[in-house]
């Protein structure tokens, strides 16, 4: 992945611990490029997580990926707002409610789980929880290590 994207600051920073980097990049690449969730769902969850963690690096990179996955600029901007402030469809709202609850409580309520389970299969449900957790961890590391977004 790093070979195709160039020397991004996340890779040059995390890469200073080669063994950890190798393990992390495999897991992160699976979630980002080989997962069961479609790109729109994946980027909604990641961007909402980046917002919750105030992670400028994650937000900047996934803003672009969100557009590539079919999100609009209006939708991306609405990810920084309360859920009620945008007319999300039921599927998107369930994903965002899950990201919100995982951030706030570290678990999902029965109501959010039921909303997700009505729209996603078992593998997707498991992956969504792992995805949000993973991007929380990445945001923690990016923020704590002061990794700066690349200059455009």
């Amino acid at each position: 992945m790093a070979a195709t994207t160039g020397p991004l600051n996340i890779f040059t920073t995390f890469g200073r611990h080669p063994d950890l980097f190798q393990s992390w990049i495999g897991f992160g690449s699976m979630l980002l490029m080989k997962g069961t969730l479609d790109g729109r769902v994946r980027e909604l969850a990641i961007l909402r997580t980046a917002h919750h963690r105030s992670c400028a690096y994650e937000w900047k990179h996934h803003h672009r990926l969100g557009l590539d996955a079919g999100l609009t600029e209006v939708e991306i901007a609405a990810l920084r707002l309360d859920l009620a402030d945008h007319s999300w469809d039921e599927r998107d709202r369930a994903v965002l409610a899950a990201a919100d609850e995982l951030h706030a409580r570290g678990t999902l309520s029965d109501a959010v789980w039921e909303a997700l389970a009505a729209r996603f299969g078992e593998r997707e449900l498991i992956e969504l929880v792992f995805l949000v957790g993973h991007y929380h961890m990445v945001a923690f590391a990016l923020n704590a290590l002061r990794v700066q977004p690349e200059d455009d």
Side-chain angles (χ1 to χ4, degrees), residues 33-48:
M33 299 185 304
K34 299 176 188 167
T36 61
L37 297 170
D38 68 53
R40 178 183 177 83
V41 167
R42 183 190 66 239
E43 295 306 320
L44 282 170
I46 294 170
L47 283 162
R48 189 67 166 189

Side-chain angles (χ1 to χ4, degrees), residues 7-14 55-58 60-61 141-151:
L8 297 177
N9 293 344
I10 188 172
F11 298 145
T12 58
T13 302
F14 290 8
C55 186
Y57 191 98
E58 204 167 72
K60 181 178 178 184
H61 279 271
L142 289 166
N143 287 343
L145 298 172
R146 309 293 195 266
V147 179
Q148 298 299 306
E150 289 77 19
D151 294 329

Side-chain angles (χ1 to χ4, degrees), residues 61-130:
H61 279 271
H62 286 276
H63 180 266
R64 183 182 71 250
L65 294 173
L67 291 171
D68 291 346
L71 294 172
T72 66
E73 289 287 357
V74 170
E75 290 171 323
I76 291 172
L79 290 168
R80 294 187 186 268
L81 306 174
D82 186 87
L83 282 182
D85 292 341
H86 184 77
S87 59
W88 299 106
D89 69 24
E90 290 181 15
R91 184 176 178 218
D92 291 349
R93 184 173 298 282
V95 169
L96 297 173
D100 290 357
E101 284 193 0
L102 288 167
H103 168 71
R105 300 176 49 221
T107 192
L108 297 172
S109 66
D110 290 344
V112 168
W113 183 261
E114 289 169 14
L116 290 169
R119 291 158 183 83
F120 297 101
E122 182 177 67
R123 289 178 144 194
E124 293 168 309
L125 292 168
I126 293 168
E127 188 173 316
L128 180 61
V129 172
F130 270 83

